[in-house]
Amino acid sequence: MPGPWVTPELTALNRLPMHAVPHDDRVELDGRWRFQLLRAPDAPATDQWAEADVPGCWTMQGVDDRPHYTNVQMPFRELPPDVPGDNPTGLYERTFMLPARWAGRRIVLHVGAAESVLIATLNGRDVGISKDSHLAAEFDVTGLVVEGENTLTLRVVKWSDATFVEDQDQWWHGGITRSVFLFATSRVHLGDIRAIGGLREDLVTGTLDIGVDVAFSGVEQEPGWTVEAHLEGLDEPLRATAPTTAPRDERGSWSRERWDVQARRAVGADLSAEELETWQQLVDWQVPPTLGAIRWSVDVPGVEPWSSERPRLCGLRITLRSPGGEVVEEARLKVGFRRVEIRGLDLLINGRRVLIRGVNRHDFDERTGRVVSAESMRADLVLMKQFGFNAVRTSHYPNDPAFLDLTDELGLYVVDEADIESHAFWGSLADDPRYLEQWVSRVSRMAIRDKNHPSIILWSLGNESGHGANHEAAAAWLRRYDPSRPLHYEGAVRFDWTSDQDVSDITCPMYPPIWAIVEHAKSGKQLHPLIMCEFSHAMGNSNGTLAEYWDAIESTPGLQGGFIWEWWDHGLVQKLPDGTERWAYGGDFGDTPNDGNFCIDGVVWPNRRPKPALWEHKQLAAPIRVTASPDDARRGRVEIHNRQDFRDTSWLRARYEVTVGGSAVSNGRVELPPIAARESASIDLPGLRAPGDAGEAWLTIHFETAGAESWAPAGFEICWAQVPLPGSARRGAPPAAADAAGVQLDADGLLVHDLLAAPPSLSLWRAPTDNDRIGGMARTWSDCGLDRLVRELVSVERGADAVVVKSRYATGGGAVEHEQRFRTLRDGAVAIDETVVIPDGLSDLARVGTVLEVVAGLEEVEWFGRGPHETYPDRKRGGQFGRWRSTVGEQYVPYVRPQENGGHADVRWVELRGDGGRGLRIELDEPRQVSVSHFRAADLAAATHDVELRPRPESIVHIDAAHRGLGTASCGPDTLDEYLVGPGTYRWS
């Protein structure tokens, strides 16, 4: 017979049903285990034992099996359900002592997650089998444990038939990735708890749907067991006799009305005479099945709803009492009252259309792979909250239960996704009956475990697996089990957004262009809310046009947000032969086939440091916006708009600053009234002094937390807003020249200056971003020779007031004509006027501008423009206008694979200075894209990892008349047409 690792119909053996009961009487088994790596699942163990951490990926612990990265393709050639004969299998073994207090109790082994098949034995006897790398397996080992020392063996098989439905875009690992423990219960125990809070139509009356399963394990049932449910804030507990089912009427169907009466009576509600008669009938009614199912449905008046903005939780205690009244087991949960529904084209949370500002998140750690601590999960979620996210999708599998406890507590809406992705076999496995049980079991076990978490607003049937009968079966089960939440599945809508899509209540496309979602919303054919499950791919220097996506979402009914791909750069720390470390991606471990650095696609680096694109999102998600007419701005009167859905502004405080040319001229505190959600108010800024015409002036208002939040300390900046003050003057073109006598050129007509290490030259190329490279633009630029321009000097003309140098560059798209006009100014400066004519054959350029190099030693850099972080033409709304100081070295943005970086949009001037005041100032005719770096574009393009780069002592300065947008073409749309750089005449000074 084939092994269980190539039998897709077998999902488990002796595995206990999933449940949502927290069992705290535990023996923790995490730590160092004896370990050996076998080459096949049925290979015999040897006497050569090492040690490994549990939880831990053996692929990250120095054994002869390293991480492997693929995206869509499988890491081996076999077809489902077959796997390679060379199949790494981890053998874990340890001993434990059984506590004396557990004598006579039911004992369960819990393995939090194992990739991908778990085979357990205890004291040499078979325990059971489980598949599903991201949900726990539990086994009843009561009859297998012995007094004293016990030996537990866990055999974990890396490749299996289940691998084909766990083909998520991430590193392949092997190991036990979540905690292992034993827990004990009474023989009569809480089998499962259902506690789902909702809201009535008035949105202030809570509903609590409670279900308790009482299980009898190896003992005879006896009458008289009771269950109590005590909700924090209610004086009387809800009681029911157990074991029982819900009362039945004369036809044998469930009688919800009678049970509602019992529940209302339990909390002391006034009952009519008819209801009292019904109650009297109920209290005398009992049946004795072997599994008790207790159900309450009760109203709770005056609740404070749970939302991402105000995640209010209420304690719930479930108590199981014996016939003699003793407490046998108690479980404590947190309940949140909230209402999730779809009305028309809107997903409503507590009756309001909430925009989903989400991000996709994998379990990831730069040093442990897929093993993530509760502290790490909290750090992720806190940072998400601080940067304006209100939702997270558990791509593409259920997370540890601790993660959902945290989303409940901190306030993030969750799309809980089943551990299903058959990407390499997208069109077949979803209809393969051999895999039916895998689909249904993975979806159902997720829902049974996670049903009580108020943060979960949508169930997802998985990711990128096509659409087939297996999805239909799983969706049917889920709709029956939990009608309180809508369903989500992109595969059902991929090819037709206007279909009935009966397995998804959301139209949730991947990477649609802006025009497509707007056109759909205006077509009159839209049937469901549109929430993009993945958009704005964050690979390298990316997330261009994120602001334009949100402009469309906020202005178009039917569009309701989406989830950025993704949170993490999945760079694993790899030690190099010289002892240094780097972040590794596909192929760096000798893994073939691989998909290179496509896993380096997050808004945070592998150490959780925010990338510049994250600041863009934070500002776009600002809960407060400010507007003012020119006259009102001059008088210090502004309109404050509260863009929150439920919370007023009383948790915020504000301060303002007026700057002229980047220097502060006045500031003060703002009296911020408690503006209700979705309301606005006009306020006056005390002490604001109008700047006059001394220079470019801006009013900046900063909004901070007035007190500590669960995710931010007091004084944490939530957002800012800037308003230009009218009447301020911007610096224009340089003043008239005195003459051209001081202009020095070399024999090739290039400017000579003692502060320049290389003269101002034409630049049409940038070090390709990941979007440029994967989107095909980089190859086009290289084919045209734009990365290696060859200059032909046409003429040098010296006049009384200027020197004019004309040059020509031959490219694969035609000749580029370039003219530089040099003038010496009265203060000793040099004015440079540039004109470039781009031929029609060059339809898509990286940039048109000037590159020059400044001598070493001028390390201090200051500029006036957007900052302080990196900004680009299609990703700049998160940058404040101001005067910013830094160093040239600090301008480098260390993308894991080096590429164009460190640019600043809308720069008016830039200075470089060294010791003794020696320096250089560049003033621009108009706001331009500028960067200053110790790396040439060619240096960046030649490196495959950031640790390979060696900074040059000189400073390389790029001044761009036009710079191409970033877009997201590595996976999704390119930038918009307005951010492309094409043929024509460009002038800058």
Side-chain angles (χ1 to χ4, degrees), residues 662-856:
S663 298
V665 297
S666 66
N667 59 67
R669 283 283 170 189
V670 179
E671 289 297 326
L672 194 62
I675 306 167
R678 300 185 176 180
E679 298 293 336
S680 300
S682 294
I683 64 170
D684 293 315
L685 306 180
L688 185 145
R689 180 160 53 89
D693 296 331
E696 184 174 347
W698 289 89
L699 165 65
T700 306
I701 305 177
H702 302 268
F703 297 90
E704 305 166 340
T705 52
E709 299 287 316
S710 61
W711 47 271
F716 178 83
E717 183 167 288
I718 298 298
C719 61
W720 50 267
Q722 282 193 312
V723 177
L725 293 177
S728 57
R730 293 182 179 178
R731 183 179 296 273
D739 54 48
V743 177
Q744 299 181 45
L745 302 179
D746 65 12
D748 293 320
L750 300 173
L751 181 69
V752 176
H753 194 285
D754 61 356
L755 289 177
L756 295 182
S761 302
L762 178 65
S763 178
L764 304 178
W765 182 74
R766 67 187 180 195
T769 66
D770 288 318
N771 292 328
D772 297 337
R773 183 172 49 84
I774 297 174
M777 292 78 78
R779 178 180 291 275
T780 300
W781 299 336
S782 180
D783 290 346
C784 287
L786 302 184
D787 55 343
R788 51 192 185 280
L789 288 176
V790 177
R791 175 176 173 266
E792 174 192 354
L793 177 62
V794 175
S795 64
V796 177
E797 300 175 5
R798 282 193 174 270
D801 62 345
V803 179
V804 178
V805 179
K806 295 183 179 181
S807 306
R808 180 181 297 113
Y809 299 82
T811 76
V816 175
E817 304 293 339
H818 181 206
E819 178 183 292
Q820 290 178 307
R821 186 169 183 262
F822 300 101
R823 295 172 290 153
T824 303
L825 306 183
R826 290 189 177 89
D827 58 4
V830 177
I832 307 174
D833 302 310
E834 309 235 23
T835 302
V836 170
V837 180
I838 303 296
D840 291 342
L842 297 178
S843 60
D844 186 358
L845 297 177
R847 62 178 9 131
V848 175
T850 302
V851 60
L852 55 88
E853 296 187 13
V854 179
V855 296

Side-chain angles (χ1 to χ4, degrees), residues 898-961:
Q899 53 199 277
E900 163 67 31
N901 72 88
H904 297 287
D906 301 326
V907 173
R908 280 66 159 149
W909 55 259
V910 59
E911 289 184 357
L912 288 91
R913 291 188 298 274
D915 294 338
R918 182 170 181 258
L920 176 75
R921 178 181 175 98
I922 301 171
E923 295 186 356
L924 305 173
D925 57 339
E926 295 180 12
R928 303 292 186 183
Q929 183 79 18
V930 173
S931 67
V932 183
S933 174
H934 283 310
F935 303 104
R936 293 174 179 165
D939 299 336
L940 299 169
T944 61
H945 295 75
D946 67 297
V947 297
E948 300 168 15
L949 291 169
R950 297 293 178 266
R952 296 176 180 271
E954 301 82 14
S955 295
I956 293 85
V957 181
H958 276 278
I959 303 163
D960 295 325

Side-chain angles (χ1 to χ4, degrees), residues 544-683:
T545 73
L546 182 61
E548 286 77 9
Y549 269 103
W550 277 103
D551 289 345
I553 292 165
E554 292 175 5
S555 63
T556 310
L559 305 184
Q560 211 168 332
F563 294 82
I564 288 175
W565 186 267
E566 65 167 310
W567 181 245
W568 286 107
D569 268 359
H570 292 208
L572 295 172
V573 172
Q574 182 184 41
K575 183 165 285 190
L576 300 175
D578 64 358
T580 61
E581 293 179 338
R582 70 177 180 184
W583 282 321
Y585 49 75
D588 286 341
F589 294 103
D591 46 315
T592 55
N594 67 77
D595 286 296
N597 73 322
F598 201 70
C599 59
I600 307 295
D601 55 3
V603 291
V604 299
W605 275 283
N607 60 4
R608 203 180 287 107
R609 176 188 167 195
K611 287 185 179 177
L614 202 54
W615 296 97
E616 180 86 347
H617 181 272
K618 178 173 182 174
Q619 190 60 17
L620 294 174
I624 305 295
R625 285 192 182 161
V626 175
T627 58
S629 69
D631 287 343
D632 283 345
R634 181 178 290 277
R635 293 195 299 266
R637 186 170 184 81
V638 296
E639 189 84 2
I640 304 290
H641 307 272
N642 181 1
R643 302 173 65 238
Q644 298 174 104
D645 297 303
F646 305 105
R647 200 173 188 184
D648 68 23
T649 58
S650 59
W651 66 291
L652 296 171
R653 66 188 186 199
R655 57 185 174 85
Y656 77 87
E657 181 180 63
V658 174
T659 58
V660 177
S663 298
V665 297
S666 66
N667 59 67
R669 283 283 170 189
V670 179
E671 289 297 326
L672 194 62
I675 306 167
R678 300 185 176 180
E679 298 293 336
S680 300
S682 294
I683 64 170

Side-chain angles (χ1 to χ4, degrees), residues 849-915:
T850 302
V851 60
L852 55 88
E853 296 187 13
V854 179
V855 296
L858 306 186
E859 183 62 18
E860 301 298 319
V861 62
E862 184 174 358
W863 75 97
F864 182 67
R866 291 190 186 264
H869 54 267
E870 169 193 88
T871 53
Y872 282 84
D874 64 347
R875 199 196 69 212
K876 66 181 182 180
R877 291 198 207 168
Q880 288 184 43
F881 286 103
R883 185 171 182 170
W884 307 103
R885 294 178 177 86
S886 182
T887 67
V888 177
E890 290 170 346
Q891 289 299 291
Y892 171 61
V893 181
Y895 294 108
V896 174
R897 178 165 181 157
Q899 53 199 277
E900 163 67 31
N901 72 88
H904 297 287
D906 301 326
V907 173
R908 280 66 159 149
W909 55 259
V910 59
E911 289 184 357
L912 288 91
R913 291 188 298 274
D915 294 338

Side-chain angles (χ1 to χ4, degrees), residues 5 24 86 116 200 235 241 278 280 284 340 458 567 586 761 804 813 866 922 985 989:
W5 47 89
D24 298 328
D86 186 4
S116 68
R200 295 290 184 198
D235 295 332
T241 302
T278 304
Q280 189 60 46
D284 295 331
V340 183
L458 296 171
W567 181 245
S761 302
V804 178
R866 291 190 186 264
I922 301 171
T985 300
S989 300

